[in-house]
Amino acid sequence: MDFDILIQILGATLRVATPILLACLAGLYSERSGIIDIGLDGKMLIAAFASAATAAVVGNVWVALGVAVLASSALALIQGLAAITLRGNQLISGAAINMLALGTAYLLSQTMFGTGGQTPGLGPDQRFMGIELPFHDALGGFYQQVVSGQSVIVYFALATVPLTWWVLYRTRFGLRLRAVGEAPNAVDSAGISVARLRYSAVLIAGALCGVAGAYLATAQAAAYTDGMTANRGFIALAALIFAKWRPYPALGACLLFGFVEAVGYQVQGNLNVDSRVLATLVDFLESSLPYILTVVILAGFVGKATPPAAGGVPYVKER
Amino acid sequence: MAVARGTIHGIVGENGAGKSTLMSILYGFYQADRGEIRINGERVAIRHSDDAIAAGIGMVHQHFMLVKPFTVLENVILGAEEGASLQRSAAKARGILGELAETYGLEVDPDMVVGDLSVGLQQRVEILKALYRQAEILILDEPTGVLTPSEADHLFRILESLKAQGKTIIFITHKLREIMSITDTVSVMRRGAMTATHPTSEMSVTRLAELMVGRAVELRVDKTPARPGAEILSVRDLTVARNGTERLKSISFGIRAGEILGVAGVAGNGQSELLEVLWGTAAATAGEVLLKGAPLDVSRGGRAAERRRQGIGHVPEDRHRHGIIMPFGVWENASYGYHRSPSFTSGPFSLPGRMKDAARELIETFDVRPDDPLLKTANLSGGNQQKIVLGREIRQNPDLLLIGQPTRGVDIGAIEYIHREIVALRDQGKAILLVSVELDEILGLSDRVIVMFDGRISGERVIEETDENDLGMLMAGVDQREGKNVTASKMG
């Protein structure tokens, strides 16, 4: 494989990893606060639809992004209501969010556009296009293909990693967030509202999923298609476990999963018809790797993954 | 109730008497339906914990409110941060912790992870948390339950120095001797009401117990000297390792028929592992165990059913996790573990009718209240739940009964009853292994005591030749009679 192809793959890795990374960080906030979030996929999906539909109707991609964040946050609020205020089962409410999102997106797209679960294709001015950084052409190679020319959301996602680290370990909010996922009773007895903290975390997760969904429909693709998240929310969850709920390792995990997917695209793109078996194999590996790695991690082969101690447990005052 | 500034005020009462509810109201976990709280004569409204903190109330909960993976520093500043950035809070807290350490003897490394600290130090962090929030009134809920006698002494010294600095301390406990030794005033609660408040100097342990229960209580167990028979259980060089660390280090002892062997020690020094191996739920790495001369298979776990058939009964330390199934009916728990014995089965089917009959007998014999076998076990008090477990095991007529923490979470009235049952069982010629962290219980029931420290037996005593101080030192790993031949204390 020559060097150009490697650079191409790396550029694709960043693009493919971006929505997973955003969803993964969304999950990090949510789960660090003690709310297990399997509804990442659904929130991304509704955001993807909301952004594509808004972009198609209004024509402004930034408005589309805003609507996507709002739609995803609305779902997050429902999830928060079920998990925090009503103390419901978080796995069930998360699964319900996924189903609700899939059905709602299909219903609305059919009603609005009559195209069978799709939105109309978007033109370049209705999408997030690549931004050419200074010296884009002059430097060429790696800089041109990987560093420059990505959409603004890719840069945002990358910036969110150190930001999340800083919030988590250097701010009061971060201290309380980490505490509430481990020992909500300690937080409560310190005079801090457990519910308010968890709602904040869930809403941050909603907003990040909103950006991730908008990226899928208005940057990576140019329309919403039915079920277009393709379980990326679950891959993000796998990356989160792989990263043991820490921001920088989350970046690493998402890049790894993105890289595997990008290699898959490259291999499939260059294969001739005869190697269909190989294509199937590559496809299989690519889609199953995140889950295989998750199982390996959870089985304790690569260190121990200790989730936040209070994850999944609704907080009830003990006495 | 009124508490004077700069005093230590004790509150005693049985389980369910309302002590914890009262404290939860003071700390803003619950709200009172009626009534008022005044601090320094001024009425305060405490709706949440932050109101309580603002009013100068600090609480050391029985179950610590600590974030285990956090450092001491992080735990202390949580909820009392200075602004949104952590660095300034951390710097300030470090300074104040240093001062507090100096003033009250509350030393603890601020950068240690709390989960790695001993229980005594974790409690110190809780006290520091309250003082950091400038608490003037400190409430301690059952603070000594988890401490060694020497750690408890240290705590008492800290409390004395806090008192000397003008802090007010409310001390909740069920250990009457602690009330007598440290408090200035004592209030007794019974069935949700404050029944009496007296200067401690006018009280005695017996009088307090009477006030708590509402009748005269026999605190000392009446028992005749043991008449030990043949050796029932013999443990030789038993070693148990878990996750690479040795939890039991070559333990040897024996129990004879008609004898109660007490196992004293601070929780977590190998007692639980000992019970698990003897009961067959955990494997030993080395050593052997003989029951009536025949070897038990200790090389594997999962042998509890076999142990039952071999004549061992077990009252587990953690009743709720291993002794009973809380949502099940009393009748189911009354035969739980023996539900596959021929008396409760017919072929592959179980016979609920027979189980209920057995449960009725048990309820009758062991005075379980309320006397309804169909009731959900979770609805019974801790004492009555324990009577079910104890009764169930005794009814199987075991040669050896393993008992872990028989009166944990059990009220005084039921303690008296359970203690009598255990002694009665001994007098029938059964061998009894009694593991308890309550020294009073060990001293009151045992005929012979072994003390465990760090997975070893740090000493063995005949009950007549020891006292609380002696055992307390052994619990901390110090044998004051070192050199004395401990084998001489075998009953003869």
Side-chain angles (χ1 to χ4, degrees):
Chain A
M1 188 188 295
D2 63 66
F3 193 61
D4 278 350
I5 294 180
L6 182 65
I7 286 180
Q8 270 177 32
I9 291 177
L10 289 180
T13 298
L14 267 191
R15 287 186 284 279
V16 174
T18 292
I20 305 175
L21 177 60
L22 284 166
C24 184
L25 293 171
L28 191 146
Y29 279 99
S30 180
E31 302 219 337
R32 278 289 187 145
S33 83
I35 306 289
I36 288 180
D37 197 350
I38 65 164
L40 294 172
D41 207 59
K43 283 179 280 190
M44 267 179 14
L45 193 80
I46 204 75
F49 166 74
S51 65
T54 311
V57 175
V58 180
N60 183 316
V61 70
W62 288 98
V63 175
L65 176 68
V67 173
V69 167
L70 284 181
S72 169
S73 301
L75 275 193
L77 206 57
I78 298 178
Q79 205 181 356
L81 192 71
I84 304 165
T85 308
L86 302 176
R87 302 191 185 110
N89 182 304
Q90 297 170 7
L91 297 181
I92 292 176
S93 58
I97 290 292
N98 289 339
M99 287 189 253
L100 183 66
L102 196 60
T104 307
Y106 187 90
L107 180 72
L108 287 180
S109 63
Q110 184 64 22
T111 318
M112 288 169 71
F113 307 106
T115 46
Q118 291 195 5
T119 61
L122 302 172
D125 53 337
Q126 296 166 313
R127 296 177 56 207
F128 285 107
M129 303 302 286
I131 302 171
E132 297 190 355
L133 297 181
F135 314 114
H136 178 78
D137 294 318
L139 289 171
F142 182 79
Y143 183 81
Q144 191 183 36
Q145 294 282 322
V146 183
V147 180
S148 174
Q150 306 286 8
S151 96
V152 64
I153 296 180
V154 174
Y155 300 119
F156 171 77
L158 290 174
T160 310
V161 176
L163 183 72
T164 299
W165 180 89
W166 183 79
V167 166
L168 217 50
Y169 298 104
R170 286 290 178 268
T171 68
R172 174 177 60 190
F173 175 73
L175 180 76
R176 293 177 172 190
L177 184 76
R178 284 182 289 134
V180 79
E182 293 288 344
N185 52 3
V187 169
D188 193 15
S189 83
I192 308 165
S193 162
V194 171
R196 200 180 307 158
L197 263 178
R198 288 188 166 170
Y199 268 111
S200 322
V202 165
L203 283 176
I204 293 173
L208 287 173
C209 283
V211 180
Y215 178 84
L216 283 177
T218 62
Q220 204 167 38
Y224 171 80
T225 50
D226 194 29
M228 78 182 301
T229 50
N231 287 338
R232 280 187 182 81
F234 290 96
I235 293 176
L237 219 47
L240 186 61
I241 296 169
F242 192 55
K244 299 173 187 170
W245 294 267
R246 294 168 302 172
Y248 282 108
L251 173 65
C254 292
L255 286 177
L256 175 68
F257 292 169
F259 180 74
V260 174
E261 202 178 329
V263 170
Y265 290 148
Q266 188 71 33
V267 171
Q268 279 165 332
N270 293 334
L271 283 175
N272 48 31
V273 195
D274 296 340
S275 20
R276 215 174 265 151
V277 179
L278 187 61
T280 316
L281 194 69
V282 168
D283 191 38
F284 167 76
L285 270 182
E286 171 212 315
S287 50
S288 58
L289 183 85
Y291 303 107
I292 293 173
L293 280 178
T294 305
V295 170
V296 168
I297 285 279
L298 286 178
F301 291 118
V302 193
K304 220 175 124 214
T306 317
V313 189
Y315 179 62
V316 184
K317 281 189 188 219
E318 271 169 50
R319 336 181 297 140
Chain B
M1 179 179 91
V3 179
R5 169 190 294 275
T7 60
I8 300 182
H9 191 110
I11 296 181
V12 289
E14 293 198 276
N15 290 310
K19 292 173 300 190
S20 295
T21 309
L22 175 67
M23 292 311 124
S24 298
I25 290 171
L26 280 183
Y27 198 61
F29 268 176
Y30 288 157
Q31 284 189 57
D33 297 324
R34 278 195 308 276
E36 56 177 25
I37 302 164
R38 286 169 185 269
I39 295 175
N40 295 330
E42 274 181 44
R43 189 175 172 164
V44 287
I46 298 174
R47 274 180 297 272
H48 301 287
S49 298
D50 44 350
D51 296 331
I53 294 166
I57 298 177
M59 177 115 182
V60 176
H61 297 267
Q62 183 177 7
H63 305 287
F64 301 147
M65 299 289 180
L66 295 170
V67 186
K68 293 264 170 73
F70 277 22
T71 63
V72 171
L73 200 65
E74 285 176 316
N75 267 291
V76 167
I77 58 182
L78 178 68
E81 305 91 343
E82 302 278 310
S85 162
L86 281 187
Q87 260 151 342
R88 212 149 46 91
S89 321
K92 185 188 163 199
R94 215 174 267 282
I96 293 185
L97 283 183
E99 288 168 28
L100 289 174
E102 220 162 281
T103 323
Y104 301 111
L106 283 160
E107 281 96 4
V108 53
D109 180 357
D111 296 314
M112 285 283 286
V113 171
V114 162
D116 297 339
L117 296 176
S118 71
V119 185
L121 284 175
Q122 290 188 11
Q123 186 176 63
R124 208 173 284 183
V125 176
E126 282 282 37
I127 297 175
L128 283 168
K129 266 169 68 182
L131 295 178
Y132 184 73
R133 287 161 175 74
Q134 294 169 342
E136 287 300 317
I137 303 167
L138 197 61
I139 305 172
L140 295 109
D141 189 4
E142 298 282 358
T144 57
V146 288
L147 304 181
T148 63
S150 72
E151 281 175 326
D153 284 344
H154 192 133
L155 172 70
F156 290 163
R157 281 199 298 280
I158 291 170
L159 294 183
E160 290 290 350
S161 82
L162 286 168
K163 176 178 142 185
Q165 304 275 340
K167 309 268 184 199
T168 309
I169 291 156
I170 300 178
F171 189 95
I172 303 167
T173 185
H174 68 275
K175 294 183 182 170
L176 301 176
R177 227 138 7 89
E178 290 175 355
I179 289 282
M180 294 307 297
S181 69
I182 187 167
T183 64
D184 302 305
T185 326
V186 57
S187 294
V188 181
M189 289 192 76
R190 190 154 70 89
R191 292 195 192 141
M194 200 64 90
T195 50
T197 299
H198 295 284
T200 309
S201 51
E202 294 173 9
M203 284 284 114
S204 69
V205 169
T206 341
R207 180 82 189 106
L208 276 176
E210 266 179 50
L211 285 170
M212 270 167 73
V213 186
R215 61 179 166 85
V217 187
E218 198 56 60
L219 285 176
R220 287 216 71 84
V221 192
D222 267 334
K223 67 181 178 64
T224 52
R227 280 181 317 219
E231 189 162 73
I232 297 288
L233 181 80
S234 167
V235 172
R236 287 179 204 154
D237 302 323
L238 195 67
T239 300
V240 175
R242 199 164 289 170
N243 303 327
T245 42
E246 286 197 343
R247 310 300 282 270
L248 274 189
K249 299 165 184 168
S250 199
I251 296 254
S252 301
F253 63 88
I255 311 177
R256 301 187 182 200
E259 163 182 67
I260 299 176
L261 177 72
V263 180
V266 177
N269 277 291
Q271 304 96 310
S272 304
E273 287 78 8
L274 176 63
L275 281 177
E276 282 166 19
V277 168
L278 292 180
W279 178 234
T281 49
T285 15
E288 61 171 356
V289 177
L290 304 177
L291 181 72
K292 290 182 283 182
L296 291 180
D297 178 9
V298 290
S299 62
R300 291 182 284 167
R303 318 216 69 72
E306 192 181 304
R307 295 285 202 276
R308 285 193 191 96
R309 285 195 297 274
Q310 289 165 329
I312 301 182
H314 182 213
V315 178
E317 287 187 294
D318 189 341
R319 183 164 63 236
H320 294 163
R321 282 182 62 195
H322 304 298
I324 48 178
I325 302 173
M326 294 288 269
F328 277 24
V330 168
W331 65 277
E332 286 160 305
N333 278 309
S335 49
Y336 173 54
Y338 303 98
H339 51 285
R340 290 165 84 175
S341 76
S343 49
F344 296 131
T345 51
S346 164
F349 302 105
S350 68
L351 302 170
R354 294 235 197 116
M355 289 172 154
K356 284 173 194 165
D357 290 343
R360 271 185 210 102
E361 273 180 45
L362 186 150
I363 287 172
E364 174 96 24
T365 323
F366 290 89
D367 191 30
V368 177
R369 291 177 213 183
D371 58 351
D372 179 1
L374 300 182
L375 215 61
K376 204 166 124 176
T377 312
N379 295 341
L380 269 62
S381 74
N384 283 301
Q385 290 170 3
Q386 188 71 322
K387 285 182 193 169
I388 295 174
V389 180
L390 188 68
R392 176 181 75 206
E393 302 301 323
I394 290 179
R395 280 169 56 84
Q396 297 300 319
N397 196 25
D399 298 314
L400 168 69
L401 186 61
L402 311 170
I403 309 180
Q405 320 298 348
T407 54
R408 178 179 280 174
V410 171
D411 46 56
I412 288 199
I415 289 178
E416 196 186 355
Y417 183 87
I418 287 170
H419 283 175
R420 277 207 310 268
E421 286 296 330
I422 293 174
V423 173
L425 196 65
R426 178 201 75 167
D427 292 340
Q428 288 169 34
K430 310 296 185 190
I432 295 169
L433 180 82
L434 170 76
V435 173
S436 176
V437 292
E438 303 282 350
L439 261 187
D440 288 345
E441 189 162 72
I442 293 283
L443 287 166
L445 288 179
S446 321
D447 301 309
R448 204 152 51 85
V449 187
I450 56 177
V451 183
M452 296 198 57
F453 175 74
D454 192 27
R456 289 178 216 282
I457 295 179
S458 58
E460 179 177 344
R461 298 283 189 265
V462 183
I463 202 68
E464 292 82 5
E465 294 172 10
T466 186
D467 57 23
E468 201 179 344
N469 280 337
D470 182 33
L471 292 183
M473 293 303 282
L474 286 174
M475 283 163 73
V478 182
D479 193 342
Q480 291 171 312
R481 300 185 202 166
E482 219 144 15
K484 187 174 171 182
N485 188 2
V486 284
T487 50
S489 58
K490 284 255 168 70
M491 301 292 288

